[in-house]
């Protein structure tokens, strides 16, 4: 089976990566068949299309979940949709392109500014402008966001105890939703 040859499968998987993640229009399935498997007439275009989808699916899942090499290896062994030789080639490919795949998937799913940094502190207000004693706690928050072009913007605001409690409640609600989606 030609698709089990480690060099040929790695070249094929590398072409799939370039086609899907680097948007190389030249790396079509036909091109890969003609250039990688040219001396193996028994390899069909349909077989390569199916294999291409499997490679894309495993790279995409690994990228979304930001798998380490050992997590991909475990997944490949459990799923066993690839031969052992193909698994080794995919692991080699993952070593080369893991960060690129994750970054490209992250950028595809980012539609707005991203939070770069958040810092905060709690201050005690001792007196108001009229000179009256307050002894009230406030939190001062600074958030630094970055847009898609890489420009950073700092946002600063102040919250009293009630506003902070409301924000914390909303954050807890978001955390519960994230945990639900992540299956935690």
């Amino acid at each position: 089976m030609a698709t089990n040859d480690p060099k040929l499968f790695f070249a094929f998987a590398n072409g799939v990566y370039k086609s899907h993640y680097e948007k190389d229009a030249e790396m079509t399935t036909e091109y890969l068949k003609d250039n990688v498997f040219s001396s193996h007439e028994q390899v069909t275009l349909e077989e390569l299309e199916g294999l291409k989808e499997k490679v894309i699916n495993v790279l995409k899942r690994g990228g979304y979940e930001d798998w380490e090499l050992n997590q991909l290896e475990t997944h490949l062994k459990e799923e066993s949709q690839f031969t052992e030789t193909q698994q080794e080639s995919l692991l080699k490919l993952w070593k080369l392109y893991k960060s690129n795949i994750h970054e490209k998937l992250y950028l595809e799913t980012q539609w707005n500014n991203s939070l770069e940094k958040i810092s905060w502190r709690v201050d005690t207000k001792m007196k108001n402008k009229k000179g009256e004693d307050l002894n009230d706690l406030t939190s001062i928050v600074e958030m630094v966001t970055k847009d898609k072009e890489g420009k950073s913007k700092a946002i600063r605001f102040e919250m009293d105890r009630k506003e902070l409690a409301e924000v914390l409640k909303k954050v807890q609600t978001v955390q519960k939703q994230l945990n639900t989606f992540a299956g935690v």
Side-chain angles (χ1 to χ4, degrees):
M1 177 183 232
T3 57
N4 206 28
D5 179 302
K7 288 181 181 177
L8 295 180
F9 184 78
F10 181 79
F12 173 76
N14 192 42
V16 170
Y17 163 81
K18 288 181 179 181
S19 167
H20 193 75
Y21 291 102
E22 293 183 1
K23 307 298 183 204
D24 186 341
E26 187 178 87
M27 292 291 165
T28 64
T29 309
E30 293 85 6
Y31 176 87
L32 293 171
K33 181 182 183 328
D34 293 344
N35 289 281
V36 175
F37 299 106
S38 58
S39 62
H40 302 293
E41 304 236 345
Q42 74 274 19
V43 176
T44 66
L45 201 55
E46 293 78 25
E47 178 184 358
L48 292 180
E49 283 291 341
L51 197 54
K52 178 181 178 180
E53 285 305 310
K54 288 179 185 179
V55 170
I56 289 170
N57 288 339
V58 78
L59 294 178
K60 191 180 288 187
R61 183 165 177 203
Y64 276 129
E65 296 181 21
D66 200 18
W67 284 343
E68 294 301 325
L69 188 64
N70 63 339
Q71 291 172 297
L72 176 64
E73 186 175 15
T74 301
H75 174 76
L76 290 173
K77 286 180 180 176
E78 289 173 357
E79 296 293 317
S80 66
Q81 58 183 331
F82 297 100
T83 66
E84 193 171 314
T85 306
Q86 291 171 340
Q87 290 176 20
E88 289 172 13
S89 294
L90 285 171
L91 291 170
K92 184 177 173 184
L93 187 81
W94 191 251
K95 283 181 194 176
L96 292 173
Y97 298 123
K98 173 199 182 285
S99 59
N100 293 356
I101 292 169
H102 179 72
E103 182 68 20
K104 288 184 186 300
L105 290 171
Y106 170 76
L107 291 174
E108 282 178 13
T109 59
Q110 181 185 7
W111 63 87
N112 216 339
N113 295 347
S114 61
L115 181 63
E116 286 291 301
K117 177 183 163 189
I118 186 167
S119 53
W120 59 278
R121 71 174 194 254
V122 176
D123 284 351
T124 303
K125 282 190 178 181
M126 302 305 282
K127 296 183 182 231
N128 65 10
K129 291 179 183 179
K130 297 177 186 176
E132 300 167 335
D133 284 336
L134 292 176
N135 202 18
D136 194 20
L137 296 176
T138 62
S139 61
I140 298 171
V141 180
E142 179 181 78
M143 301 167 87
V144 179
T145 61
K146 185 167 81 174
D147 62 17
K148 285 191 170 191
E149 289 80 41
K151 296 179 194 169
S152 293
K153 178 181 176 184
I155 303 163
R156 292 175 196 87
F157 56 93
E158 190 174 316
M159 293 185 288
D160 63 19
R161 188 182 300 247
K162 182 180 174 187
E163 291 168 325
L164 181 60
E166 290 172 10
V167 168
L168 288 174
K169 190 174 183 179
K170 289 178 183 177
V171 168
Q172 288 172 344
T173 303
V174 169
Q175 184 64 49
K176 285 179 186 175
Q177 286 292 331
L178 291 173
N179 289 345
T180 301
F181 290 130
V184 177

